[in-house]
Amino acid sequence: MSTVTARPPGTASRPPDGRLPARSRLLGQDVVRLGTTGLRARPTRAVLSALGIAIGIAAMVAVVGISSSSQARLNDQLAQLGTNLLTAQAGTSITGEQTALPPDTLGKVRRVDGVESASSTALVPEPVYRSSLSDPEATGGIATMAADPDLLGVVSGQVDSGAWLNAATERFPAVVLGSVAAERLGVTAPGTQVWLGGTHFTVVGILDPVALAPELDAAALIGADVATDLFGFDGSPTTIYERSADAAVEDVRALLAPTIAPEAPGEVEVSRPSDALAARTAANQAFTGLLLGLGSIALLVGGIGVANTMIISVLERRREIGLRRSLGATRRHILVQFLAEALLLSALGGLFGSAFGAGATAIMAGINGWPFALPPAAIVVAVTATLVIGAIAGLYPAVRAAKTPPTAALAS
């Protein structure tokens, strides 16, 4: 008669060799295979769910990329044009009246310690028309300016076609048009005549847009000598443009107003054109923050879509869950399966969204002539964000699936 030996409660039975059975575990390849089961079974649903994530990520990556490309363009532009240009203009007196710069202003500025080059323009109150038959009211907002011969070099301007004013042409009725002025007047090439101040002037040049002096784009620039002879120009400049060494910019800036108007330096306005470009970029950055917020909302909506998809998937696959549990799968196995499915679904949307965002950045950069500048960190953050969203969205459905009793799942 055999004797049965009682085991203490909770003691696992051992096989004949005395070793405990190995704990069940999932290999990495098994996790991937199980995670893609639901995606492969319902590809349309998976694509639509991933699309919500992709739209949010694409919007965020594109916003960051376009903003970075625009900033890179500004940096290149400032590196090329320089940030050492200062301008000085007449302001208003304490009584609110408009003041004027004295005729010897340019000479004073050139003698300031640290100034490397300086030039000036002066407004000439004479209208410009395409011809003498044009409507006198249709001025097109074009200003006539008497320009110093050194102006183009100081403001880093370029001639698109024709030539700049020189010692010969500045004494005759010759004019150089800014890019906007030429467009408004319908002038496409040098040699054309325009009607300026009741006199025919020959266009000798057309300028490219001047980034640091945009007021020149809508100007008709003539020589000081012909402005004096024909229009009584008194030699008082309207705007002074000055270049100095980078290290001396702030010192020169502090000296300009007292040098130009020692008796009333507060009536002289000194500015730095490169600051205006930087301010415009800062305004764009603020708008970028708004777009990032909208992209985040789209990403959140995509995450809700993933959670909804996973919950429906758990409800539809209760029999599968029950069968796997009855065949030995643990709760942890079920949890890992559905969590992996949510992560794969989100990663799919993140990768495609990043690709779409990078493509949109490349297209916008190409259209605007910007350098393509998408920080690699933006892609890393985007994909990481999708994985976090996927983990959060898939956690509840995965836990719910893991807690489903096998008998209840098989009976559903």
Side-chain angles (χ1 to χ4, degrees):
M1 182 175 180
S2 61
T3 303
V4 178
T5 304
R7 295 190 303 270
T11 304
S13 60
R14 297 175 181 270
D17 58 3
R19 293 179 299 175
L20 289 173
R23 184 180 180 183
S24 175
R25 62 190 180 90
L26 285 175
L27 300 177
Q29 59 184 8
D30 296 329
V31 174
V32 174
R33 179 174 55 81
L34 290 172
T36 57
T37 299
L39 305 184
R40 288 184 279 109
R42 297 170 178 81
T44 302
R45 179 190 295 175
V47 169
L48 292 177
S49 299
L51 186 60
I53 293 285
I55 291 174
I57 290 298
M60 297 179 71
V61 170
V63 167
V64 172
I66 293 173
S67 176
S68 299
S69 298
S70 176
Q71 182 66 45
R73 170 57 178 168
L74 174 65
N75 293 338
D76 292 345
Q77 193 175 35
L78 291 179
Q80 179 182 1
L81 300 176
T83 58
N84 59 344
L85 177 68
L86 296 176
T87 63
Q89 294 178 311
T92 56
S93 64
I94 58 175
T95 59
E97 298 178 353
Q98 182 64 43
T99 62
L101 300 180
D104 61 347
T105 298
L106 184 57
K108 291 180 180 179
V109 170
R110 285 173 173 168
R111 290 192 295 269
V112 173
D113 188 26
V115 172
E116 296 180 344
S117 60
S119 187
S120 66
T121 58
L123 285 174
V124 178
E126 298 293 339
V128 186
Y129 304 101
R130 182 63 181 85
S131 72
S132 57
L133 302 178
S134 300
D135 182 1
E137 301 297 327
T139 60
I142 302 172
T144 302
M145 296 183 181
D148 184 77
D150 299 330
L151 175 66
L152 211 58
V154 175
V155 300
S156 297
Q158 298 289 333
V159 176
D160 178 57
S161 60
W164 176 243
L165 299 171
N166 53 44
T169 55
E170 70 172 356
R171 295 182 299 172
F172 297 98
V175 60
V176 174
L177 299 178
S179 57
V180 175
E183 181 180 354
R184 292 175 182 174
L185 291 173
V187 176
T188 59
T192 306
Q193 287 193 327
V194 295
W195 187 249
L196 193 158
T199 304
H200 281 105
F201 274 68
T202 301
V203 177
V204 296
I206 299 175
L207 299 180
D208 280 330
V210 185
L212 292 181
E215 64 274 9
L216 301 181
D217 295 340
L221 303 164
I222 62 176
D225 291 344
V226 71
T228 301
D229 294 341
L230 296 181
F231 310 124
F233 172 54
D234 62 0
S236 298
T238 303
T239 304
I240 298 293
Y241 302 91
E242 172 275 328
R243 289 274 187 181
S244 56
D246 290 335
V249 170
E250 294 303 324
D251 293 337
V252 173
R253 188 172 190 167
L255 292 173
L256 279 182
T259 300
I260 295 173
E263 70 289 349
E267 297 179 359
V268 179
E269 299 176 354
V270 180
S271 61
R272 193 175 187 176
S274 59
D275 291 344
L277 293 177
R280 185 177 64 187
T281 301
N284 292 337
Q285 294 293 338
F287 186 65
T288 296
L290 174 62
L291 294 179
L292 281 176
L294 295 177
S296 301
I297 294 174
L299 182 60
L300 178 61
V301 172
I304 295 174
V306 170
N308 182 61
T309 298
M310 294 306 303
I311 291 175
I312 294 175
S313 180
V314 170
L315 294 175
E316 291 179 344
R317 296 160 64 186
R318 287 172 62 87
R319 286 181 178 273
E320 174 192 334
I321 296 170
L323 182 60
R324 292 198 61 223
R325 289 295 308 277
S326 64
L327 293 176
T330 65
R331 289 184 175 182
R332 184 177 63 85
H333 294 166
I334 302 300
L335 177 68
V336 170
Q337 174 187 349
F338 282 90
L339 192 57
E341 185 173 325
L343 289 173
L344 289 173
L345 186 60
S346 299
L348 182 66
L351 292 175
F352 277 102
S354 298
F356 293 152
T361 300
I363 291 173
M364 287 298 296
I367 292 175
N368 293 283
W370 300 337
F372 178 79
L374 178 60
I379 301 296
V380 175
V381 171
V383 175
T384 303
T386 59
L387 294 178
V388 172
I389 292 292
I392 296 174
L395 184 60
Y396 170 73
V399 171
R400 181 173 178 176
K403 289 184 176 181
T404 303
T407 54
L410 290 173
S412 62

